[in-house]
Amino acid sequence: MNHSIKRISVRAYGVAFFLIFMLGASAAQANDIENGKKLYRQCAGCHQIGPGASNSFGPQLNGVMQRGAAKVESFDYSSAFNEAMAPDVKWNSSSLSAFLEAPLTNIPGTAMAFPGVKSEDERTSIIAYLAAIDVDGNLTASTDEGAGKADSMAAEAQPRMLAADVEVPTHGVLHIGRAALAEEVAAWDIDVRPDGLGLPKGAGSAIAGVEIYDTQCAACHGDFGDGTGRWPVLAGGQDTLTDERPEKTIGSYWPYLSTVFDYVRRAMPFGNARSLSDDDVYSVTAYLMYLNDLVEEDFVLNSENFAEIRLPNEENFIADTRSKEPHFNGSVEPCMSDCLPGVATISQRARVLDVTPDEDI
Amino acid sequence: MTDINNDPKSTKALNSQLVKDDVKRAVSRRSAIKSGLALMSGGAIAASTASVANAVTPDPLITEIQDWNRYLGEGVDARPYGSPSQFESEAVRRDVPWLTADAKSSVNFTPLHKLEGVITPNGLCFERHHGGIAEIDPADHRLMINGLVDTPLIFTMEDLKRFPRENKVYFLECAANSGMEWRGAQLNGCQFTHGMVHNVMYTGVPLKYLLAEAGVKTAGKWVLPEGGDASHMTRSIPLDKCLDDCLVATHMNGEALRPEQGYPMRLVVPGWEGNMWIKWLRRIEIGDKPWHQREETSKYTDLLEDGLARRFTWVMDVKSVITNPSPQAPIDHGRGQTVLSGLAWSGHGKVSRVDVSIDGGRNWKPARLDGPSWSRSVHRFYYDFNWDGSELLLQSRAVDEFGNVQPTKNALRAQRGVNSIYHNNSIQTWHIKPDGSAENVEVS
């Protein structure tokens, strides 16, 4: 009896030792994968990953380290990429790292309009994450997501503060919250108004905007702001607002240039918001003005000349005048009988268009 | 589908097949509608609803002991957060893939035809994101108030819980709801034509309390709420509206907001376009003028026929739709007594009346409003009638307490043209065919 218990204990110790050894060895790697997963978000706008991932702007990347480069048959790779990768090239950590540092420099002509990841540590993490995803999109290695939970449980074990010891602020009516620091307000308050209020110091030229636009914007918005697929068209469309199919662009419709600057700075590029410098935003804004035939290519936009600029359609925006329409405010008593002459006839059917999605789940 | 009268396995087999394979049923029904075939008469309709005028053989669902009558079901530990019945798999949000370029900046639709009452279940509230669903740990969330205030402030979630809070039921409608229907009948189903609306009970802090804490300066006239997601959504709202009835909500229908509805906190702007109800709310700025952000210039402005465009068209006008029957919810029982049901709402206040027409707007009868009638909340209406099996052109028309009347499509087009995109609150027509199926049509 004793003997067998001892044997079990020894075995248990052995297993425990092995587990500790394994956890120690893989902790750094697990960290990399976890970081890589976060960093991958900048890639996810074009490259889907995970179970059920499909191609979008770029090929899906499930098992990309195992399957080899340019190997998603359903994806139309650029000829430059196919040439660089043919016939059976597989990525390894160093070749992929080199490519990701500056895709357009490494394979000129690739459709991967992405400026690259400059930090080697970040590239290592992204590649560790890619390597941990198998061809079915499943994560094959463990990450240390649980670590944070252990920390918060430790924090809960701290003795609770006495209510009377809490400092009560003096502001306001109910004295709740704390004063915001100037740095905090500056970090979040980035909105810009038509009169220029909120503009950061800086400048950028239309010419400098070309490269930024081509690498950061053109994949969705087209080479000349003409839009790809159903992504927004940014340029052209002048004098179409009364047409059967108006084209509403910055040049043809938007009332204020500040909206362009503000929106690019807060939300673009799609999937990597807040990544452009203020000068880059000035440059892209200047280039968008150029694409809309509003300025010449040597134009420089800066915090001084910004508020003087007017967009062509500003005057054509009016207040909400709906309440003057006849069906408002009791001006019409709804008819109850014999409201229209004759028998109703069908003038249009949805089935003719047949654009309703099928009810497949 | 099998004809029940010739099937030796009788109703039990057919019924269990129909119920188990919900999806297949939907598809086959749909293809029947699509190909213009009659939805089977007599026996087939009866089979799908288990109602027969005269039974020839006893119903085995009654005479035989069913599995669920005999064997034990799952215990209380099986479903810690419950889900709808497996037989309700058609009651889901759906999207229209061709509408937008990317699912992360897109919209899906509430299955109005599958719902009853006035409250929308949290998991079925339509979604509209501009940068995907932000997943925010409430411990990491901050709400800032800055701009023209005495003391710029930072609140945590714990801080927010200490303010007096209120419970209010409001509808939220996307300004582009029915936007695809301006030029004509396009989508077959009220889920797609009208499904960008939902109605839930919010628990939240009146915005005026938060603003009072920071102290709004007298020059302050406008408010800019901002989201913490990757689109950093912003809209300009007049200060008066914020002081009147806006809430910073943390809960919907009793539970914490769903991530796709702005967890951990969102702005509630009663009666006004859904785009203004900023989700993942992280900042509120006070200013003396509007900011003219992207969503109030490039988008959410209403282009008129003469090339002028209305801006700051905030209120969602009086509107209604018949949810049953409708293209996704045909009449399956044949002629006889039936329930017509629908929803009505107005961003101005309460709905005072809904009228129903079965002849394409020639004659109208008042519908029966049932359930709670709250200002800027959805109202449920019914019209119970005996269907003689003939073709119908169904319409509903809502009137609100201020005498605003839901207009016909043509009346709205006469005022605005067809390129407004937003604020289409016109009367919807469903064509009910002799086989009970329904189609989205326009009438003249």
Side-chain angles (χ1 to χ4, degrees), chain A residues 230-231, chain B residues 95-107 128:
Chain A
R230 289 192 65 83
W231 295 98
Chain B
D95 65 342
V96 178
W98 56 262
L99 262 186
T100 51
D102 188 295
K104 291 183 184 66
S105 180
S106 191
V107 63
R128 172 57 168 128

Side-chain angles (χ1 to χ4, degrees), chain A:
Chain A
M1 201 61 157
N2 274 342
H3 184 70
S4 67
I5 289 172
K6 209 178 232 171
R7 252 203 358 228
I8 292 166
S9 309
V10 168
R11 192 185 294 161
Y13 279 126
V15 170
F17 177 78
F18 177 73
L19 278 175
I20 289 163
F21 173 78
M22 286 303 289
L23 285 170
S26 64
Q29 192 201 357
N31 225 341
D32 263 347
I33 295 171
E34 193 57 31
N35 284 340
K37 188 178 172 187
K38 287 179 189 145
L39 291 163
Y40 187 80
R41 290 176 180 179
Q42 64 191 298
C43 321
C46 296
H47 295 285
Q48 293 187 14
I49 200 163
S54 57
N55 301 327
S56 57
F57 277 116
Q60 56 90 357
L61 294 184
N62 288 342
V64 66
M65 299 297 280
Q66 297 120 53
R67 78 186 183 208
K71 280 292 172 300
V72 177
E73 279 177 13
S74 52
F75 187 76
D76 185 18
Y77 292 91
S78 66
S79 51
F81 193 81
N82 271 329
E83 264 168 43
M85 290 303 152
D88 281 314
V89 178
K90 274 195 180 182
W91 291 116
N92 59 41
S93 307
S94 61
S95 67
L96 185 53
S97 181
F99 175 64
L100 289 180
E101 186 177 4
L104 289 163
T105 316
N106 270 288
I107 304 181
T110 176
M112 184 159 147
F114 176 68
V117 179
K118 300 303 165 215
S119 152
E120 189 177 349
D121 285 351
E122 290 186 5
R123 293 198 304 274
T124 305
S125 295
I126 291 169
I127 292 165
Y129 174 63
L130 289 173
I133 302 281
D134 68 16
V135 289
D136 298 321
N138 297 311
L139 192 61
T140 55
S142 65
T143 64
D144 57 353
E145 264 182 335
K149 278 186 192 143
D151 288 350
S152 67
M153 281 167 74
E156 272 176 36
Q158 301 270 325
R160 290 170 64 87
M161 196 177 193
L162 289 176
D165 291 345
V166 171
E167 199 184 332
V168 175
T170 53
H171 67 258
V173 183
L174 304 173
H175 317 299
I176 302 173
R178 67 162 173 88
L181 302 178
E183 302 94 297
E184 293 171 331
V185 174
W188 278 6
D189 183 357
I190 59 164
D191 43 78
V192 178
R193 283 198 326 206
D195 59 7
L197 188 76
L199 270 178
K201 286 261 177 273
S205 66
I207 290 172
V210 175
E211 194 191 333
I212 303 161
Y213 181 90
D214 284 351
T215 55
Q216 306 267 8
C217 321
C220 297
H221 294 295
D223 289 343
F224 303 101
D226 43 342
T228 63
R230 289 192 65 83
W231 295 98
V233 178
L234 300 178
Q238 274 82 353
D239 304 319
T240 63
L241 295 184
T242 54
D243 288 1
E244 171 74 12
R245 302 274 174 181
E247 189 140 87
K248 297 193 281 187
T249 71
I250 294 166
S252 72
Y253 190 67
W254 295 33
Y256 303 111
L257 187 66
S258 60
T259 311
V260 181
F261 187 98
D262 178 286
Y263 186 70
V264 170
R265 187 156 71 140
R266 77 173 51 250
M268 292 290 113
F270 190 63
N272 200 13
R274 301 292 308 270
S275 62
L276 298 178
S277 71
D278 290 340
D279 283 349
D280 284 352
V281 179
Y282 274 107
S283 299
V284 169
T285 307
Y287 183 55
L288 288 169
M289 293 172 73
Y290 171 76
L291 287 178
N292 277 287
D293 300 326
L294 297 168
V295 294
E296 300 299 318
E297 61 182 20
D298 57 354
F299 175 72
V300 177
L301 182 68
N302 59 46
S303 33
E304 266 69 54
N305 65 5
F306 195 101
E308 296 161 16
I309 292 156
R310 292 278 175 275
L311 295 186
N313 197 45
E314 177 181 341
E315 297 306 318
N316 291 322
F317 282 82
I318 58 170
D320 184 358
T321 50
R322 280 179 295 170
S323 63
K324 296 194 174 70
E325 294 175 354
H327 41 273
F328 280 85
N329 305 320
S331 44
V332 172
E333 181 55 37
C335 167
M336 295 304 284
S337 56
D338 300 326
C339 303
L340 292 162
V343 176
T345 53
I346 294 170
S347 54
Q348 217 174 8
R349 293 175 178 275
R351 198 199 295 145
V352 174
L353 277 164
D354 199 21
V355 288
T356 311
D358 281 335
E359 296 204 349
D360 305 339
I361 293 172

